[in-house]
Amino acid sequence: MDQQHPDRKTPPSFPSVALALGGGGARGLAHILMLEVFDELGIKPTVIAGTSIGAVFGAAYASGLSARLIRAHTEETLSQRFEIVRQLLSARAAPVSLPTPCLGRGVCSLQR
């Protein structure tokens, strides 16, 4: 603590690192490589922020997953991308039918 200002904390003797991860699919894949370098160097960010895919990878990393596990999960997911798209498209609900136009005087018919 600072002698003149007892409520002020002394800065740590080592630098802290904040990590900001951007959005975009290809950029997100590049983020994994940087996270691997952080792991190899033993760097642990004190703050992690991200947008879009960067937020997903940042949250995974902040939760304690190693960059190696994030890479493995991403590779597995991307290898199944066509199956995932097929499942998403087949999950579409039945087409929406619009009601017939309103008949005069603001009364609308809801019959098909």
Side-chain angles (χ1 to χ4, degrees), residues 3-46:
Q3 296 295 342
Q4 295 174 349
H5 304 283
D7 57 335
R8 199 182 290 170
K9 292 182 180 179
T10 306
S13 59
F14 56 91
S16 62
V17 174
L19 178 62
L21 305 173
R27 187 178 302 142
L29 296 177
H31 290 330
I32 296 173
L33 301 174
M34 285 308 306
L35 295 176
E36 288 177 340
V37 170
F38 275 39
D39 284 351
E40 290 170 9
L41 296 175
I43 297 172
K44 296 292 179 196
T46 55

